[in-house]
Amino acid sequence: MPTGLTTIRRGHQVDGGSNWFGHMLREVRGVTKAGVAPFEVSFGFVTDEHYFLAKDNHDNRYGHDVPAKMADAIAVFNTRPLDFVLNGGDIVEHYGETRQQALDELATIVGVFNTTTAPRYHTVGNHDLDLLHFSEFVAATGIDPQGYYSFDVPGKLHVVVLDCMYLADDDVSHEDANGNVLVDTYHIGPAQRTWLAADLAATSLPTLVMCHCWLSGDGSDYVANAAAVRNIL
């Protein structure tokens, strides 16, 4: 994997009004190494909006605040010349919701997110698929239909977005409105790992990898086969 990323410096953060919704500006800076020129990339990041209206407050999740807080974040992002904006997943929730409510709420938040003036990208999260089919999430957000993809900030940075919403280490057991609410096992299957290795081999740029669940260790919030992914990275 190309190297050169050294620090991620936290920038302006908007008050999320929720313990679960974070959004911020980040700057990624590289250092001079063999074959890697100095660079600076700025991007906006939001994650875990958990938007739902069926309950006013659940476990300190104030779902009704989310559209306004997303608008606040995007307003800040639009004051900066960002290279991209990335959503880390879990846009919607399932508590007391119907499937149609979840569809409507997903459309609402994506609509606000899409007012960013920077290129925008999404990551699929587990709660996005508690009630919704994966194909519905793809249609609403415009992500690659296979769920994982990559893009470049030309000449500066390669970004990989992974899909860890597989219930086993295979290529078929993707979570898909299948009743696995609060599933706590996540995997990145063989086909995706093969794609990842080829994708990284094809770029000479420093690379940032995004995944909804953690890849850095073991536990219920981590990708179960994270070690196999780290071996590729």
Side-chain angles (χ1 to χ4, degrees):
M1 172 181 175
T3 59
L5 294 180
T6 55
T7 61
I8 297 180
R9 189 177 68 192
R10 183 169 177 167
H12 184 91
Q13 180 168 357
V14 181
D15 177 14
S18 166
N19 291 341
W20 297 86
F21 180 18
H23 32 288
M24 59 198 67
L25 292 167
R26 292 183 182 270
E27 293 179 354
V28 178
R29 296 187 174 187
V31 296
T32 302
K33 290 187 176 182
V36 178
F39 70 93
E40 181 171 320
V41 174
S42 295
F43 63 94
F45 180 68
V46 301
T47 191
D48 290 78
E49 298 94 305
H50 291 270
Y51 183 38
F52 66 104
L53 294 176
K55 295 183 180 181
D56 185 56
N57 173 19
H58 177 85
D59 194 22
N60 285 331
R61 306 183 193 194
Y62 294 88
H64 63 276
D65 288 341
V66 172
K69 295 302 180 180
M70 176 67 84
D72 287 347
I74 297 301
V76 173
F77 294 166
N78 285 344
T79 67
R80 307 290 186 90
L82 300 182
D83 293 290
F84 62 92
V85 174
L86 179 63
N87 193 322
D90 276 1
I91 298 174
V92 293
E93 262 290 4
H94 70 275
Y95 296 105
E97 298 278 301
T98 67
R99 185 166 160 272
Q100 187 57 53
Q101 284 175 315
L103 278 170
D104 293 343
E105 290 157 3
L106 177 63
T108 294
I109 299 306
V110 171
V112 179
F113 182 79
N114 285 351
T115 62
T116 178
T117 55
R120 53 191 181 267
Y121 302 93
H122 286 274
T123 312
V124 62
N126 53 305
H127 288 288
D128 296 317
L129 305 179
D130 285 339
L131 295 173
L132 302 181
H133 292 293
F134 178 60
S135 60
E136 294 170 327
F137 183 86
V138 168
T141 61
I143 68 169
D144 191 291
Q146 68 182 357
Y148 51 91
Y149 59 96
S150 64
F151 63 92
D152 286 347
V153 177
K156 296 181 178 180
L157 185 70
H158 184 65
V159 182
V160 174
V161 178
L162 297 177
D163 175 5
C164 64
M165 294 301 118
Y166 285 82
L167 306 178
D169 188 4
D170 60 32
D171 301 318
V172 296
S173 61
H174 199 281
E175 188 175 0
D176 185 63
N178 53 9
N180 291 285
V181 175
L182 296 179
V183 61
D184 60 358
T185 179
Y186 311 99
H187 299 79
I188 292 173
Q192 188 171 176
R193 296 198 303 271
T194 297
W195 169 88
L196 175 62
D199 182 82
L200 294 178
T203 185
S204 59
L205 293 173
T207 299
L208 176 69
V209 177
M210 173 64 198
C211 185
H212 181 70
C213 298
W214 296 332
L215 292 167
S216 56
D218 301 307
S220 61
D221 291 326
Y222 292 83
V223 174
N225 60 343
V229 180
R230 293 197 301 271
N231 286 339
I232 299 169
L233 302 178

